[in-house]
Amino acid sequence: MPDFPWPAGSATGIGSLPGTDIDEAQRIVFGELPLLPHLAELPGRGPGADMIGRGAGFLVELPVQLYAGRWQIASRPGKDLRRTADLLERDLDQLTEQGDGFTGTLKVQATGPWTLAASLDLPIGGRLLRDPGAVRDLTDSLAEGLRRHVADVRKRVPGATVLLQLDEPSLPAVLAGRVPTESGLSAYREVDGPDAATRLRTVVSAVEAPVVVHCCAPSVPLQVIRDTTAAAVALDLSLVKDLDPLGEAIEAGLGVFAGAAPPTGTTRPDAKAIAERVSTLWRRLGFPAARLPEQVVITPACGLAGASPGYARAVLTAITEAGRRISEV
């Protein structure tokens, strides 16, 4: 089995948290997720902190702007891109401060090329996804931008092993030809699996860091993700209906970030129940118990931006305890 780039028994967040105070959010992350903290994301701050705007901010020489409430490719950088860059810089400054002296694995997140292509508008109208050449240019631009981002994080937290999470919630829809056109009356042509994997692999190869592909949608394309050479897949366990592809991926050495705790709720999450849920699935798949804490990281089912601050913190506490529990089996 491969050596996984995270400590055994790890737990981590998907990325987003509620609120607008990045200082407090980053303190909570380092306090509650000591084995695998991440760069906090606060989409509640508005445009530029949202998933698409923040992700597009990593593009090199491919500026974007807001137009009629949507992000689109722009002719030149403007105020929307400056706001996006300012928010990220503020977040990275807090990461630098809170991560001072940290020597473990540290996760950062960015929107992947297919979700960006399915969400960004071309200046002439329509999604960037409609133009294969534009998708290729976007992928190359994103790969370079994320290479620079990972290198910057390494300089800011020099003792850390940086892990990059690519958020690809739109990937199943892209593969199935279910991304709607502007009119909503039709959909863009489906992308085949090998092409999807090739574009993702461009980013994976460029960043010079282990990569986790996150998809909290139904029908996660595990074979595509395996073909990207990513180190792990992050998924929502409640959406996994067919265990065979997951078992095959695990057998092939793919790590799993198991979304086992509800991202919203009113009652305190139960760490014992979370750990048992993951352990039960592992036993059903037939793998040795000793491999579970090494190959699996426990996470919430998705981002926590929609949770109350109290619940979000309780989830992080619970998954960390669940990670300890599966290590003690």
Side-chain angles (χ1 to χ4, degrees):
M1 292 302 299
D3 291 329
F4 294 100
W6 51 77
S10 292
T12 193
I14 293 300
S16 67
L17 291 168
T20 59
D21 185 345
I22 189 59
D23 302 13
E24 176 67 7
Q26 201 61 68
R27 275 195 295 271
I28 289 171
V29 166
F30 272 97
E32 301 295 342
L33 301 168
L35 293 183
L36 186 48
H38 62 87
L39 176 60
E41 298 177 337
L42 301 179
R45 293 176 296 180
D50 62 294
M51 185 177 73
I52 301 306
R54 187 180 182 92
F58 292 115
L59 297 173
V60 174
E61 296 179 1
L62 197 60
V64 296
Q65 65 186 10
L66 273 173
Y67 179 75
R70 291 190 54 84
W71 289 98
Q72 70 168 193
I73 303 300
S75 58
R76 63 181 65 85
K79 61 180 177 60
D80 297 323
L81 206 51
R82 285 195 297 275
R83 172 180 164 80
T84 299
D86 288 346
L87 287 167
L88 178 63
E89 186 69 18
R90 194 177 312 164
D91 295 354
L92 289 172
D93 285 347
Q94 266 306 306
L95 181 72
T96 305
E97 182 177 330
Q98 300 296 331
D100 184 31
F102 180 74
T103 57
T105 304
L106 173 66
K107 181 167 72 71
V108 296
Q109 307 81 220
T111 311
W114 289 110
T115 296
L116 285 177
S119 305
L120 290 172
D121 287 342
L122 292 163
I124 57 173
R127 305 287 185 267
L128 194 143
L129 183 63
R130 68 189 283 186
D131 182 345
V135 172
R136 184 172 57 251
D137 291 345
L138 176 141
T139 303
D140 291 344
S141 173
L142 181 65
E144 174 58 18
L146 291 179
R147 185 193 66 77
R148 297 178 186 181
H149 177 51
V150 168
D152 182 27
V153 173
R154 282 202 186 101
K155 289 178 182 176
R156 289 170 175 269
V157 191
T161 297
V162 180
L163 183 68
L164 172 66
Q165 174 182 304
L166 289 177
D167 293 318
E168 283 285 14
S170 296
L171 183 57
V174 167
L175 292 167
R178 296 198 318 266
V179 177
T181 59
E182 282 178 302
S183 68
L185 300 176
S186 60
Y188 293 105
R189 181 182 305 175
E190 64 188 47
V191 173
D192 66 26
D195 190 28
T198 295
R199 296 285 162 255
L200 281 164
R201 196 161 53 244
T202 297
V203 180
V204 173
S205 301
V207 296
E208 299 175 354
V211 173
V212 181
V213 178
H214 167 234
C215 183
C216 57
S219 305
V220 175
L222 287 166
Q223 186 59 56
V224 170
I225 292 171
R226 288 170 59 185
D227 289 345
T228 68
T229 68
V233 60
L235 40 70
D236 178 347
L237 289 188
S238 70
L239 299 177
V240 177
K241 306 304 180 188
D242 184 358
L243 293 184
D244 288 345
L246 181 59
E248 291 167 6
I250 291 169
E251 183 62 39
L254 192 69
V256 177
F257 281 46
T264 58
T266 55
T267 57
R268 185 177 179 84
D270 184 341
K272 183 179 179 180
I274 294 168
E276 185 58 33
R277 182 181 183 190
V278 175
S279 299
T280 298
L281 176 63
W282 194 256
R283 286 194 299 270
R284 286 179 64 195
L285 290 168
F287 292 110
R291 278 176 58 180
L292 172 58
E294 297 177 2
Q295 198 161 353
V296 174
V297 174
I298 299 181
T299 75
C302 208
L304 299 175
S308 69
Y311 182 83
R313 188 165 194 160
V315 166
L316 301 185
T317 303
I319 61 173
T320 294
E321 184 183 334
R324 284 197 295 267
R325 284 175 173 273
I326 66 169
S327 296
E328 294 166 357
V329 174

